[in-house]
């Protein structure tokens, strides 16, 4: 039973991420970038460690994306 529930959550997560990527494509963002922006706006001055713990993404994403978002003009570092 729990395997089917995990599978259902996994499918829903994937569908939401795909939809979000399509919607954000017009403004040059991905869902990873969007999640980082939301979290940083909500918790200004958040550390990379806390950011990683908040959005449940790999360390490499959390390390690289803020500078990319800065280059795009979405964040000031």
């Amino acid at each position: 039973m729990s395997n089917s529930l995990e599978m259902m959550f996994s499918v829903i997560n994937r569908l939401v991420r795909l939809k979000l990527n399509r919607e954000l494509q017009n403004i040059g963002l991905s869902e990873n970038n969007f999640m980082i922006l939301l979290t940083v706006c909500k918790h200004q001055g958040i550390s990379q460690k806390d950011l990683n713990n908040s959005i449940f993404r790999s360390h490499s994403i959390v390390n690289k994306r803020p500078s990319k978002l800065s280059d795009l003009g979405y964040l000031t570092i």
Side-chain angles (χ1 to χ4, degrees):
M1 179 69 176
S2 69
N3 283 341
S4 65
L5 189 57
E6 288 174 18
M7 176 87 113
M8 183 178 67
F9 280 122
S10 178
V11 169
I12 291 170
N13 179 44
R14 177 77 175 137
L15 291 173
V16 168
R17 291 174 74 176
L18 286 171
K19 171 84 170 146
L20 197 51
N21 276 327
R22 278 194 303 271
E23 296 293 323
L24 294 169
Q25 185 177 18
N26 296 334
I27 58 172
L29 292 176
S30 68
E31 55 90 19
N32 284 322
N33 294 342
F34 182 70
M35 295 304 293
I36 288 172
L37 278 176
L38 283 179
T39 306
V40 168
C41 287
K42 193 173 184 180
H43 306 284
Q44 292 181 10
I46 191 171
S47 69
Q48 284 187 345
K49 180 181 176 185
D50 291 337
L51 181 60
N52 189 42
N53 290 336
S54 296
I55 64 171
F56 304 102
R57 299 295 192 270
S58 70
H59 291 285
S60 64
I61 289 172
V62 173
N63 290 336
K64 294 175 187 174
R65 298 298 178 185
S67 62
K68 171 127 173 114
L69 289 169
S70 178
D71 292 344
L72 292 171
Y74 287 104
L75 285 179
T76 303
I77 297 178

Coordinates of all heavy atoms in Angstrom, one line a residue:
M1 N 0.8 -1.2 0.0 CA 0.0 0.0 0.0 C 0.9 1.3 0.0 O 0.6 2.2 -0.7 CB -0.9 0.0 1.2 CG -1.8 1.2 1.3 SD -3.0 1.2 0.0 CE -4.0 2.6 0.5
S2 N 1.9 1.3 0.8 CA 2.7 2.5 0.9 C 3.5 2.7 -0.4 O 3.8 3.9 -0.8 CB 3.7 2.4 2.1 OG 4.7 1.5 1.9
N3 N 3.9 1.7 -1.1 CA 4.6 1.8 -2.4 C 3.7 2.5 -3.4 O 4.1 3.3 -4.2 CB 5.0 0.5 -2.9 CG 6.3 0.0 -2.2 OD1 7.0 0.8 -1.6 ND2 6.6 -1.3 -2.4
S4 N 2.4 2.2 -3.4 CA 1.5 2.8 -4.4 C 1.3 4.3 -4.0 O 1.1 5.1 -4.9 CB 0.2 2.0 -4.5 OG -0.5 2.1 -3.3
L5 N 1.2 4.5 -2.7 CA 1.1 5.9 -2.3 C 2.3 6.7 -2.6 O 2.2 7.9 -3.1 CB 0.9 6.0 -0.8 CG 0.4 7.3 -0.1 CD1 -0.8 7.8 -0.8 CD2 0.3 7.1 1.4
E6 N 3.5 6.2 -2.5 CA 4.7 6.9 -2.8 C 4.7 7.1 -4.4 O 5.2 8.2 -4.8 CB 5.9 6.0 -2.4 CG 6.2 6.0 -0.9 CD 7.3 5.1 -0.5 OE1 8.1 4.7 -1.4 OE2 7.4 4.7 0.6
M7 N 4.3 6.1 -5.1 CA 4.3 6.3 -6.6 C 3.3 7.4 -7.0 O 3.6 8.2 -7.8 CB 3.8 4.9 -7.2 CG 3.7 5.0 -8.7 SD 5.2 4.7 -9.5 CE 4.8 3.2 -10.3
M8 N 2.2 7.4 -6.3 CA 1.2 8.5 -6.6 C 1.8 9.9 -6.3 O 1.7 10.8 -7.1 CB -0.1 8.3 -5.8 CG -1.2 9.3 -6.1 SD -2.7 9.0 -5.2 CE -2.2 9.4 -3.6
F9 N 2.4 10.0 -5.2 CA 3.0 11.3 -4.8 C 4.1 11.7 -5.8 O 4.3 12.8 -6.2 CB 3.6 11.3 -3.4 CG 2.5 11.6 -2.4 CD1 2.3 10.6 -1.4 CD2 1.7 12.7 -2.4 CE1 1.4 10.8 -0.4 CE2 0.8 12.9 -1.4 CZ 0.6 12.0 -0.4
S10 N 4.9 10.7 -6.2 CA 6.0 10.9 -7.2 C 5.4 11.4 -8.5 O 6.0 12.3 -9.1 CB 6.8 9.6 -7.4 OG 7.8 9.8 -8.3
V11 N 4.4 10.8 -9.0 CA 3.8 11.2 -10.3 C 3.2 12.6 -10.2 O 3.4 13.4 -11.1 CB 2.7 10.2 -10.7 CG1 1.8 10.7 -11.8 CG2 3.3 8.8 -11.0
I12 N 2.5 12.9 -9.1 CA 1.9 14.2 -8.9 C 3.0 15.3 -8.8 O 2.9 16.3 -9.4 CB 1.0 14.3 -7.6 CG1 -0.2 13.4 -7.8 CG2 0.7 15.7 -7.2 CD1 -1.0 13.2 -6.6
N13 N 4.1 15.0 -8.1 CA 5.2 15.9 -8.0 C 5.8 16.2 -9.4 O 6.1 17.3 -9.7 CB 6.3 15.3 -7.1 CG 7.5 16.2 -6.9 OD1 7.4 17.4 -6.8 ND2 8.7 15.6 -7.0
R14 N 6.0 15.1 -10.1 CA 6.5 15.3 -11.5 C 5.6 16.1 -12.4 O 6.1 17.0 -13.1 CB 6.7 13.9 -12.1 CG 7.3 13.9 -13.5 CD 8.7 14.2 -13.5 NE 9.2 14.1 -14.9 CZ 10.0 14.9 -15.5 NH1 10.6 15.9 -14.8 NH2 10.4 14.8 -16.7
L15 N 4.3 15.9 -12.3 CA 3.4 16.7 -13.1 C 3.4 18.1 -12.7 O 3.4 19.0 -13.6 CB 2.0 16.1 -13.0 CG 1.8 14.7 -13.7 CD1 0.4 14.1 -13.4 CD2 2.0 14.8 -15.2
V16 N 3.4 18.4 -11.5 CA 3.4 19.8 -11.0 C 4.7 20.5 -11.4 O 4.7 21.6 -11.9 CB 3.3 19.8 -9.5 CG1 3.6 21.2 -8.9 CG2 1.9 19.4 -9.0
R17 N 5.9 19.8 -11.3 CA 7.1 20.4 -11.7 C 7.2 20.7 -13.2 O 7.7 21.7 -13.7 CB 8.3 19.5 -11.3 CG 8.5 19.5 -9.8 CD 9.5 18.5 -9.4 NE 10.8 19.0 -9.7 CZ 11.9 18.4 -9.4 NH1 11.9 17.3 -8.7 NH2 13.1 19.0 -9.7
L18 N 6.6 19.7 -14.0 CA 6.6 20.0 -15.5 C 5.7 21.2 -15.8 O 6.1 22.0 -16.7 CB 6.0 18.7 -16.2 CG 7.0 17.5 -16.3 CD1 6.3 16.3 -16.8 CD2 8.2 17.9 -17.2
K19 N 4.6 21.3 -15.2 CA 3.6 22.4 -15.4 C 4.3 23.7 -15.0 O 4.2 24.7 -15.8 CB 2.3 22.2 -14.7 CG 1.4 23.3 -14.6 CD 0.5 23.4 -15.8 CE -0.6 24.4 -15.6 NZ -1.0 25.1 -16.8
L20 N 4.9 23.7 -13.9 CA 5.6 24.9 -13.4 C 6.7 25.3 -14.3 O 6.9 26.5 -14.7 CB 6.1 24.6 -12.0 CG 6.5 25.8 -11.1 CD1 5.4 26.9 -11.1 CD2 6.9 25.4 -9.8
N21 N 7.5 24.3 -14.8 CA 8.6 24.7 -15.8 C 8.0 25.3 -17.1 O 8.6 26.2 -17.6 CB 9.4 23.4 -16.1 CG 10.5 23.1 -15.1 OD1 11.0 24.1 -14.5 ND2 10.8 21.9 -14.9
R22 N 6.9 24.8 -17.6 CA 6.3 25.3 -18.8 C 5.8 26.8 -18.5 O 6.0 27.6 -19.4 CB 5.1 24.5 -19.2 CG 5.5 23.3 -20.0 CD 4.3 22.7 -20.7 NE 3.2 22.3 -19.8 CZ 3.1 21.1 -19.2 NH1 4.0 20.2 -19.4 NH2 2.1 20.8 -18.4
E23 N 5.2 27.0 -17.4 CA 4.7 28.3 -17.1 C 5.8 29.3 -16.8 O 5.7 30.5 -17.2 CB 3.8 28.3 -15.8 CG 2.5 27.4 -16.0 CD 1.6 28.0 -16.9 OE1 1.4 29.3 -17.0 OE2 0.9 27.3 -17.6
L24 N 6.9 28.9 -16.3 CA 8.0 29.8 -15.9 C 9.0 30.0 -17.1 O 9.8 31.0 -17.1 CB 8.8 29.3 -14.7 CG 8.0 29.3 -13.4 CD1 8.8 28.5 -12.4 CD2 7.7 30.7 -12.9
Q25 N 8.9 29.2 -18.1 CA 9.8 29.3 -19.3 C 9.7 30.7 -19.9 O 10.7 31.2 -20.3 CB 9.4 28.2 -20.3 CG 10.3 28.1 -21.5 CD 9.9 27.0 -22.4 OE1 8.8 26.5 -22.3 NE2 10.8 26.6 -23.2
N26 N 8.5 31.3 -19.9 CA 8.4 32.6 -20.6 C 9.2 33.7 -19.9 O 9.5 34.7 -20.5 CB 6.9 33.0 -20.6 CG 6.0 32.1 -21.4 OD1 6.5 31.5 -22.3 ND2 4.8 32.0 -21.1
I27 N 9.5 33.6 -18.6 CA 10.3 34.6 -17.9 C 11.7 34.1 -17.6 O 12.4 34.7 -16.8 CB 9.5 35.1 -16.6 CG1 9.3 33.9 -15.7 CG2 8.3 35.8 -17.0 CD1 8.7 34.4 -14.3
G28 N 12.1 33.0 -18.2 CA 13.5 32.6 -18.1 C 13.8 31.9 -16.8 O 15.0 31.9 -16.4
L29 N 12.8 31.3 -16.2 CA 13.1 30.6 -14.9 C 12.7 29.1 -15.0 O 11.9 28.7 -15.9 CB 12.2 31.2 -13.8 CG 12.5 32.6 -13.3 CD1 11.5 33.0 -12.3 CD2 13.9 32.7 -12.8
S30 N 13.3 28.3 -14.1 CA 12.9 26.9 -14.0 C 12.2 26.8 -12.6 O 12.2 27.7 -11.8 CB 14.1 26.0 -14.0 OG 14.9 26.2 -12.9
E31 N 11.6 25.6 -12.3 CA 11.0 25.5 -11.0 C 12.0 25.5 -9.9 O 11.7 25.9 -8.8 CB 10.1 24.2 -11.0 CG 10.8 22.9 -11.4 CD 11.4 22.2 -10.2 OE1 11.0 22.5 -9.0 OE2 12.3 21.3 -10.4
N32 N 13.2 25.0 -10.2 CA 14.3 25.1 -9.1 C 14.6 26.6 -8.8 O 14.7 26.9 -7.6 CB 15.6 24.4 -9.6 CG 15.5 22.9 -9.6 OD1 14.9 22.4 -8.6 ND2 16.1 22.3 -10.6
N33 N 14.7 27.4 -9.8 CA 15.0 28.8 -9.6 C 13.8 29.5 -8.9 O 14.0 30.3 -8.0 CB 15.2 29.5 -11.0 CG 16.4 29.1 -11.7 OD1 17.3 28.5 -11.1 ND2 16.5 29.4 -13.0
F34 N 12.6 29.1 -9.3 CA 11.4 29.7 -8.7 C 11.4 29.3 -7.2 O 11.0 30.2 -6.4 CB 10.2 29.1 -9.4 CG 8.9 29.7 -8.9 CD1 8.6 31.0 -9.1 CD2 8.0 28.9 -8.2 CE1 7.4 31.5 -8.6 CE2 6.8 29.4 -7.8 CZ 6.5 30.7 -8.0
M35 N 11.7 28.1 -6.8 CA 11.6 27.7 -5.4 C 12.7 28.4 -4.6 O 12.4 28.8 -3.5 CB 11.8 26.1 -5.3 CG 10.7 25.3 -5.9 SD 9.1 25.7 -5.2 CE 9.3 25.1 -3.6
I36 N 13.8 28.6 -5.2 CA 14.9 29.4 -4.5 C 14.4 30.8 -4.3 O 14.6 31.4 -3.2 CB 16.2 29.3 -5.3 CG1 16.8 27.9 -5.2 CG2 17.2 30.4 -4.8 CD1 18.0 27.6 -6.0
L37 N 13.8 31.4 -5.4 CA 13.4 32.8 -5.2 C 12.3 32.9 -4.2 O 12.3 33.9 -3.4 CB 12.8 33.3 -6.6 CG 13.8 33.8 -7.6 CD1 13.1 34.2 -8.9 CD2 14.6 35.0 -7.1
L38 N 11.3 32.0 -4.2 CA 10.3 32.1 -3.1 C 10.9 32.0 -1.7 O 10.5 32.8 -0.8 CB 9.3 30.9 -3.3 CG 8.3 31.1 -4.4 CD1 7.4 29.8 -4.5 CD2 7.4 32.3 -4.2
T39 N 11.8 31.1 -1.5 CA 12.4 30.9 -0.2 C 13.2 32.1 0.2 O 13.1 32.5 1.4 CB 13.2 29.6 -0.2 OG1 12.3 28.5 -0.6 CG2 13.7 29.3 1.2
V40 N 14.0 32.6 -0.7 CA 14.9 33.7 -0.4 C 14.0 35.0 -0.1 O 14.3 35.8 0.8 CB 15.9 34.0 -1.5 CG1 16.6 35.4 -1.4 CG2 16.9 32.9 -1.6
C41 N 13.0 35.2 -0.8 CA 12.1 36.3 -0.6 C 11.4 36.2 0.8 O 11.2 37.2 1.5 CB 11.0 36.5 -1.7 SG 11.7 37.1 -3.2
K42 N 11.0 35.0 1.1 CA 10.3 34.7 2.4 C 11.3 34.8 3.6 O 10.9 35.3 4.6 CB 9.7 33.4 2.3 CG 8.7 33.1 3.4 CD 8.0 31.8 3.2 CE 6.9 31.6 4.2 NZ 6.2 30.3 4.0
H43 N 12.5 34.4 3.4 CA 13.5 34.4 4.5 C 14.8 35.1 4.0 O 15.8 34.4 3.7 CB 13.9 32.9 4.8 CG 12.7 32.1 5.2 ND1 12.0 32.2 6.4 CD2 12.0 31.2 4.5 CE1 11.0 31.4 6.4 NE2 11.0 30.7 5.3
Q44 N 14.7 36.4 3.9 CA 15.9 37.2 3.4 C 17.1 36.9 4.3 O 17.0 36.8 5.5 CB 15.6 38.6 3.4 CG 14.5 38.9 2.3 CD 14.2 40.4 2.3 OE1 14.9 41.2 2.8 NE2 13.2 40.7 1.5
G45 N 18.3 36.7 3.7 CA 19.5 36.4 4.4 C 19.7 35.0 4.8 O 20.6 34.6 5.5
I46 N 18.9 34.1 4.2 CA 18.9 32.7 4.5 C 20.3 32.1 4.0 O 20.8 32.5 3.0 CB 17.8 31.9 3.9 CG1 17.7 30.5 4.4 CG2 17.8 31.9 2.4 CD1 16.4 29.7 4.0
S47 N 20.8 31.2 4.8 CA 22.1 30.6 4.4 C 21.9 29.5 3.4 O 20.7 29.0 3.2 CB 22.8 29.9 5.7 OG 22.1 28.8 6.1
Q48 N 22.9 29.1 2.7 CA 22.8 28.0 1.7 C 22.3 26.7 2.3 O 21.5 26.0 1.7 CB 24.0 27.9 0.9 CG 24.3 28.9 -0.1 CD 25.5 28.6 -1.0 OE1 26.3 27.8 -0.7 NE2 25.6 29.4 -2.1
K49 N 22.8 26.4 3.5 CA 22.5 25.2 4.2 C 21.0 25.2 4.5 O 20.3 24.2 4.3 CB 23.3 25.1 5.5 CG 23.0 23.8 6.3 CD 23.8 23.8 7.5 CE 23.4 22.5 8.3 NZ 24.1 22.5 9.6
D50 N 20.5 26.3 5.1 CA 19.1 26.4 5.4 C 18.2 26.4 4.1 O 17.1 25.8 4.1 CB 18.8 27.6 6.2 CG 19.4 27.5 7.6 OD1 19.6 26.4 8.1 OD2 19.6 28.6 8.2
L51 N 18.7 27.0 3.1 CA 18.0 27.1 1.8 C 17.9 25.6 1.3 O 16.8 25.2 0.8 CB 18.7 27.9 0.8 CG 18.1 28.1 -0.6 CD1 16.7 28.7 -0.5 CD2 19.0 29.0 -1.5
N52 N 18.9 24.9 1.3 CA 18.9 23.5 0.9 C 17.9 22.7 1.7 O 17.2 21.9 1.1 CB 20.3 22.9 0.9 CG 20.4 21.6 0.3 OD1 19.9 21.4 -0.8 ND2 21.1 20.6 0.9
N53 N 17.9 22.9 3.0 CA 17.0 22.1 3.8 C 15.6 22.6 3.6 O 14.6 21.8 3.8 CB 17.4 22.4 5.3 CG 18.7 21.7 5.7 OD1 19.1 20.7 5.1 ND2 19.3 22.2 6.7
S54 N 15.3 23.8 3.1 CA 14.0 24.3 2.9 C 13.4 23.8 1.6 O 12.2 23.5 1.6 CB 14.0 25.8 2.9 OG 14.3 26.3 4.1
I55 N 14.2 23.7 0.6 CA 13.6 23.3 -0.7 C 13.9 21.9 -1.2 O 13.4 21.5 -2.2 CB 14.0 24.3 -1.8 CG1 15.5 24.3 -2.1 CG2 13.6 25.7 -1.5 CD1 16.0 25.0 -3.3
F56 N 14.6 21.2 -0.4 CA 14.9 19.8 -0.7 C 15.4 19.5 -2.1 O 15.0 18.7 -2.8 CB 13.6 18.9 -0.5 CG 13.1 19.1 0.9 CD1 11.9 19.9 1.1 CD2 13.7 18.4 2.0 CE1 11.4 20.0 2.4 CE2 13.1 18.6 3.3 CZ 12.0 19.4 3.5
R57 N 16.4 20.3 -2.5 CA 17.1 20.1 -3.7 C 18.6 19.8 -3.4 O 19.1 19.9 -2.3 CB 17.1 21.4 -4.6 CG 15.7 21.9 -5.0 CD 15.0 20.9 -5.9 NE 13.8 21.4 -6.5 CZ 12.6 21.3 -6.0 NH1 12.4 20.7 -4.8 NH2 11.6 21.8 -6.6
S58 N 19.3 19.3 -4.4 CA 20.7 18.9 -4.3 C 21.5 20.1 -3.9 O 21.2 21.3 -4.3 CB 21.2 18.2 -5.5 OG 21.4 19.1 -6.6
H59 N 22.7 19.9 -3.3 CA 23.6 21.0 -2.9 C 24.1 21.7 -4.1 O 24.3 22.9 -4.1 CB 24.8 20.4 -2.1 CG 24.4 19.9 -0.8 ND1 24.1 20.8 0.3 CD2 24.2 18.7 -0.3 CE1 23.8 20.1 1.4 NE2 23.9 18.8 1.0
S60 N 24.3 21.0 -5.2 CA 24.8 21.7 -6.4 C 23.8 22.7 -7.0 O 24.2 23.8 -7.4 CB 25.2 20.7 -7.5 OG 24.0 20.0 -8.0
I61 N 22.5 22.4 -6.9 CA 21.5 23.4 -7.4 C 21.5 24.6 -6.5 O 21.5 25.7 -7.0 CB 20.1 22.7 -7.4 CG1 20.0 21.7 -8.5 CG2 19.0 23.8 -7.5 CD1 18.8 20.9 -8.6
V62 N 21.6 24.4 -5.2 CA 21.5 25.5 -4.2 C 22.8 26.3 -4.3 O 22.8 27.5 -4.1 CB 21.3 25.0 -2.8 CG1 21.4 26.1 -1.8 CG2 19.9 24.4 -2.7
N63 N 23.9 25.7 -4.7 CA 25.2 26.4 -4.8 C 25.3 27.3 -6.1 O 25.8 28.4 -6.1 CB 26.4 25.5 -4.7 CG 26.6 24.9 -3.4 OD1 26.2 25.5 -2.4 ND2 27.2 23.8 -3.3
K64 N 24.7 26.7 -7.2 CA 24.9 27.4 -8.5 C 23.8 28.4 -8.8 O 24.0 29.4 -9.5 CB 24.9 26.3 -9.6 CG 26.2 25.5 -9.5 CD 26.1 24.4 -10.5 CE 27.2 23.4 -10.4 NZ 27.1 22.2 -11.3
R65 N 22.5 28.1 -8.4 CA 21.4 28.9 -8.9 C 21.4 30.3 -8.4 O 21.0 31.2 -9.1 CB 20.1 28.2 -8.5 CG 19.9 26.9 -9.1 CD 19.8 27.0 -10.6 NE 19.7 25.6 -11.2 CZ 19.7 25.4 -12.4 NH1 19.9 26.3 -13.3 NH2 19.6 24.1 -12.9
P66 N 21.7 30.6 -7.1 CA 21.7 32.0 -6.7 C 22.5 32.9 -7.6 O 22.1 34.0 -7.9 CB 22.2 32.0 -5.3 CG 21.8 30.7 -4.8 CD 22.0 29.7 -6.0
S67 N 23.7 32.5 -8.0 CA 24.5 33.4 -8.9 C 23.9 33.5 -10.3 O 23.9 34.6 -10.9 CB 25.9 32.9 -9.0 OG 26.0 31.6 -9.6
K68 N 23.3 32.4 -10.8 CA 22.5 32.5 -12.0 C 21.4 33.5 -11.9 O 21.1 34.3 -12.8 CB 22.1 31.1 -12.4 CG 21.1 31.1 -13.6 CD 21.6 30.2 -14.7 CE 20.6 30.0 -15.8 NZ 21.1 30.6 -17.0
L69 N 20.6 33.4 -10.8 CA 19.5 34.3 -10.6 C 20.0 35.7 -10.5 O 19.3 36.7 -10.9 CB 18.7 33.9 -9.4 CG 17.9 32.6 -9.5 CD1 17.4 32.1 -8.2 CD2 16.8 32.8 -10.5
S70 N 21.2 35.9 -9.9 CA 21.7 37.3 -9.8 C 22.1 37.8 -11.2 O 21.8 38.9 -11.6 CB 23.0 37.2 -9.0 OG 23.6 38.5 -8.9
D71 N 22.7 36.9 -12.1 CA 23.0 37.3 -13.4 C 21.8 37.6 -14.2 O 21.8 38.5 -15.1 CB 23.7 36.1 -14.2 CG 25.1 35.9 -13.6 OD1 25.7 36.7 -12.9 OD2 25.7 34.8 -13.9
L72 N 20.7 37.0 -14.0 CA 19.4 37.3 -14.6 C 18.7 38.5 -14.1 O 17.7 38.9 -14.6 CB 18.5 36.0 -14.6 CG 18.9 34.8 -15.3 CD1 18.0 33.6 -15.0 CD2 18.9 35.0 -16.8
G73 N 19.2 39.0 -13.0 CA 18.6 40.2 -12.4 C 17.5 39.9 -11.3 O 16.8 40.8 -10.9
Y74 N 17.3 38.7 -11.0 CA 16.2 38.3 -10.0 C 16.7 38.5 -8.6 O 15.9 38.6 -7.7 CB 15.7 36.9 -10.2 CG 14.9 36.8 -11.5 CD1 15.4 36.2 -12.6 CD2 13.6 37.3 -11.5 CE1 14.6 36.1 -13.8 CE2 12.8 37.1 -12.6 CZ 13.3 36.6 -13.7 OH 12.5 36.5 -14.9
L75 N 18.0 38.3 -8.3 CA 18.6 38.4 -7.0 C 19.7 39.4 -7.0 O 20.4 39.5 -8.0 CB 19.1 37.1 -6.5 CG 18.1 36.0 -6.0 CD1 18.8 34.8 -5.6 CD2 17.2 36.5 -4.9
T76 N 20.0 40.0 -5.8 CA 21.2 40.8 -5.6 C 22.0 40.0 -4.5 O 21.5 39.8 -3.4 CB 20.9 42.2 -5.1 OG1 20.0 42.8 -6.1 CG2 22.1 43.0 -4.9
I77 N 23.2 39.7 -4.9 CA 24.1 38.9 -3.9 C 25.1 39.9 -3.4 O 25.7 40.7 -4.0 CB 24.7 37.7 -4.6 CG1 23.7 36.8 -5.1 CG2 25.7 37.0 -3.7 CD1 24.2 35.6 -5.9

